[in-house]
Amino acid sequence: MRYHKIPDETVRRLPIYLRGLMLSADQGLEHLSSKSLADYVGVPSWQIRKDFSYFGDFGTPGVGYRIERLAKEIKKILRLHVIRRTALVGVGDLGTALLAYPGFRTFGLDIVAAFDVDRRKIGRKFNEITVEDLAGIEGLKKRQISMAIVAVPREAAQEIVDKLAAAGVRGILNFAPCKVTAPKRVKVITLDIAMELARLPYYMPSG
Amino acid sequence: MRYHKIPDETVRRLPIYLRGLMLSADQGLEHLSSKSLADYVGVPSWQIRKDFSYFGDFGTPGVGYRIERLAKEIKKILRLHVIRRTALVGVGDLGTALLAYPGFRTFGLDIVAAFDVDRRKIGRKFNEITVEDLAGIEGLKKRQISMAIVAVPREAAQEIVDKLAAAGVRGILNFAPCKVTAPKRVKVITLDIAMELARLPYYMPSG
DNA sequence: CCATGTGAAGGTATTCACAGCC
DNA sequence: GGCTGTGAATACCTTCACATGG
C-alpha cells in the first residue's frame, strides 16, 4: 500500500461501512469479506476493496477483514475515535426530533447542549438536555463543544452560523434550506431534506 | 443545443437552482444572470450555465435567464409540475417533524396521509393529517399516492418498503439507517442523517 | 459590451480483471 | 479455493476559454 489521498466519495461511504462493521461486530462476527459487507450495505464489493485500499492493508486474502481492527481504523480516519460534543441550535419540530434521535451516538456524536430564542422553550428539558438562551452560544469553547447542528428557519441561519463560528465551533451541520457562509476554519455541510425528496420524482419510473 | 442526457450531479443541483429561482421570483425579479444565481446558491456560474445547457437554451446573452420560464422548465424536468401526493410512514419524533416541515410544499410535494403501528397514535391529528393504521397502506393506489417517506426504526424499514411497493408506490425517501431493497419499478433514496454528521469531523480543520 | 452556451482539457471516481497471498 | 489489493481502462464530472449572439 502506498500513500493515497482518500477521495471525497470514499469518505462519504466510510460511515456506511462503519455502521455495517459495528452491526456485524454486535452479532459476534470477527471477520467479514468485502462480498458479505457488500450484500449488507449495498455497495459493490470491488468498490469496498478499492475504498479500503486507500488507507491500508486490513484484509487477509482468503479470509476477509478483521472487523474490530477495521472499524477502529475507520473511526480514526473519520476522527470519530474521540467523543464529539455537539450543540443543537433551534429546538423546533426538527430540532426536537434530532435531540431524540439515537443514531448520532453510534458514531460517537453526543448532543450535549441545546439553544433557542423562544423564551417559552428556554429551561425546558428534552431528553436530559435543558434548552438554553441563544446568548449561551458564546460559552461553547469553554465547554469544549466544537460541532453544532443548525435547525433554525432560513432567515436566522446565517446569523446563527456567524455566532457559532465566533464561538470557536469548527464543524456545522446546517438543516436550513439556504446557502450559509463561514470562515475557512469552519466546515459547513448543508442537508436540505426537501431537496432530497424533490429529486425523487425524476427517478420514478413512468413519472 | 443538442440532445444530452442530464448528469445525475446536475439533477442533484436542479432543486437548489429551483429554490433560488422561486425566491428571486418572489422578490419580483424577471431576469437573473448565472452570476447572480451563483452568488445566491453557492454554485459557480460556469457550472450553472453548463447544467442549464444540458436541457435547453433559456438564457439571453447580455441579459440572463427568464426566471419564470426557467423555473417552470426545471419543475417539468424534475417532474414536479404536478402536485405529488405523498404518504408518511412512522409518526415518531422524526415523522412528526416531517409532517410539520413546510419545505416540501415549495416543491409541490404534499404529505396527505400518515401511518403508524402505534394504537395510541392512530386517530390523532398532526397538522391536519390524521394518523391511520398501517393496514391502510394497501389503499394508497386508489388514493393516488405514489410517493412515500419512511421514518420508522431500522428493523421495520424493509417490511414497510415491501408493503409500499406492493401498494403501487413508485418513489420512497427512506430515513431508516439501513439498506432497503425494492423492485426496479420503485426508486428508493436513503437519507441517513447521522451519516452526514459523521463525516463532519473528517473535514474539520485541526481535528 | 455583457452574458450565454459549448467544445476541449483536465481531474476525479468507478469498474474491471487479475496477480498475489493465505 | 477464496479473497484481497491494485494497475489499467473506462466513464463521469468539472473547469476553462472563447466563439456567438442580443
Side-chain angles (χ1 to χ4, degrees):
Chain A
M1 176 255 182
R2 294 216 300 276
Y3 171 81
H4 284 293
K5 186 197 168 301
I6 300 176
D8 283 344
E9 290 302 307
T10 297
V11 173
R12 186 188 297 276
R13 284 186 294 264
L14 287 182
I16 308 183
Y17 302 148
L18 184 54
R19 212 182 43 209
L21 291 168
M22 289 191 295
L23 285 169
S24 300
D26 287 350
Q27 285 168 31
L29 293 173
E30 300 235 327
H31 292 268
L32 197 66
S33 71
S34 58
K35 190 66 181 50
S36 318
L37 186 55
D39 292 341
Y40 196 70
V41 300
V43 176
S45 58
W46 66 77
Q47 181 75 79
I48 292 177
R49 292 201 302 278
K50 184 59 131 184
D51 283 341
F52 290 172
S53 81
Y54 290 121
F55 56 88
D57 304 286
F58 292 95
T60 313
V63 179
Y65 298 92
R66 277 188 51 194
I67 293 173
E68 203 70 51
R69 184 153 157 263
L70 182 55
K72 192 174 277 185
E73 183 66 19
I74 293 178
K75 274 185 197 157
K76 213 163 121 194
I77 289 166
L78 290 173
R79 300 221 180 88
L80 294 170
H81 54 304
V82 290
I83 303 272
R84 296 280 169 184
R85 292 162 58 80
T86 305
L88 170 74
V89 186
V91 191
D93 291 299
L94 183 58
T96 310
L98 294 173
L99 271 177
Y101 193 63
F104 296 131
R105 273 265 165 65
T106 322
F107 293 109
L109 306 163
D110 215 350
I111 299 182
V112 296
F115 300 93
D116 205 297
V117 267
D118 191 339
R119 291 243 148 269
R120 288 164 301 179
K121 282 176 193 156
I122 296 168
R124 278 186 66 186
K125 246 188 172 179
F126 293 90
N127 249 53
E128 310 290 305
I129 310 289
T130 306
V131 180
E132 304 169 47
D133 187 282
L134 220 53
I137 288 180
E138 289 170 20
L140 287 183
K141 193 160 198 169
K142 251 177 228 149
R143 293 161 73 180
Q144 311 214 43
I145 296 174
S146 58
M147 289 180 39
I149 300 173
V150 174
V152 302
R154 196 205 333 272
E155 304 76 35
Q158 183 61 58
E159 185 197 332
I160 297 294
V161 167
D162 293 342
K163 276 193 181 23
L164 288 168
V169 161
R170 282 173 293 119
I172 296 175
L173 182 61
N174 171 42
F175 282 93
C178 60
K179 183 190 90 169
V180 290
T181 56
K184 262 204 303 293
R185 76 184 130 72
V186 183
K187 171 70 179 180
V188 180
I189 294 179
T190 292
L191 177 51
D192 186 337
I193 291 174
M195 234 146 59
E196 299 296 316
L197 195 56
R199 68 197 170 88
L200 194 47
Y202 179 85
Y203 292 104
M204 278 162 51
S206 71
Chain B
M1 177 257 181
R2 294 214 300 277
Y3 171 80
H4 284 292
K5 185 197 169 298
I6 300 176
D8 283 344
E9 290 303 308
T10 296
V11 173
R12 186 188 298 276
R13 283 186 294 264
L14 287 182
I16 308 183
Y17 302 149
L18 184 54
R19 212 183 42 210
L21 290 168
M22 289 191 295
L23 285 169
S24 301
D26 287 349
Q27 285 168 31
L29 293 173
E30 299 235 328
H31 292 268
L32 197 65
S33 71
S34 58
K35 190 67 182 52
S36 318
L37 186 56
D39 292 342
Y40 196 70
V41 300
V43 176
S45 59
W46 64 77
Q47 180 74 80
I48 292 177
R49 290 201 303 277
K50 184 59 131 183
D51 283 341
F52 289 172
S53 82
Y54 290 119
F55 55 87
D57 303 287
F58 292 96
T60 314
V63 180
Y65 298 92
R66 277 187 52 194
I67 293 174
E68 203 69 51
R69 184 153 158 262
L70 183 54
K72 193 174 276 185
E73 182 64 19
I74 293 179
K75 274 186 199 157
K76 213 164 121 193
I77 289 165
L78 290 174
R79 300 219 180 90
L80 294 170
H81 54 303
V82 291
I83 303 271
R84 295 281 168 183
R85 292 163 57 82
T86 307
L88 170 74
V89 186
V91 191
D93 291 299
L94 183 58
T96 312
L98 294 173
L99 270 177
Y101 193 63
F104 296 131
R105 273 264 166 65
T106 322
F107 294 108
L109 306 163
D110 216 350
I111 300 182
V112 296
F115 300 92
D116 205 297
V117 266
D118 190 339
R119 291 242 150 269
R120 288 164 302 180
K121 282 176 194 156
I122 296 168
R124 278 186 66 187
K125 246 189 175 179
F126 293 89
N127 249 54
E128 311 289 304
I129 310 289
T130 305
V131 180
E132 305 169 46
D133 187 282
L134 218 53
I137 288 180
E138 289 169 21
L140 288 182
K141 191 158 200 172
K142 251 177 230 148
R143 294 162 72 182
Q144 311 214 43
I145 297 173
S146 58
M147 290 178 42
I149 301 173
V150 174
V152 302
R154 195 206 333 273
E155 305 75 37
Q158 182 61 58
E159 185 197 332
I160 297 294
V161 167
D162 293 342
K163 275 192 179 29
L164 288 168
V169 161
R170 282 172 295 119
I172 296 175
L173 181 61
N174 171 41
F175 281 93
C178 61
K179 183 190 91 170
V180 291
T181 55
K184 264 203 303 292
R185 69 173 163 356
V186 183
K187 170 71 180 179
V188 180
I189 294 180
T190 292
L191 177 51
D192 185 337
I193 292 173
M195 235 147 58
E196 299 295 317
L197 196 56
R199 68 197 170 89
L200 195 48
Y202 179 86
Y203 291 104
M204 278 161 53
S206 71

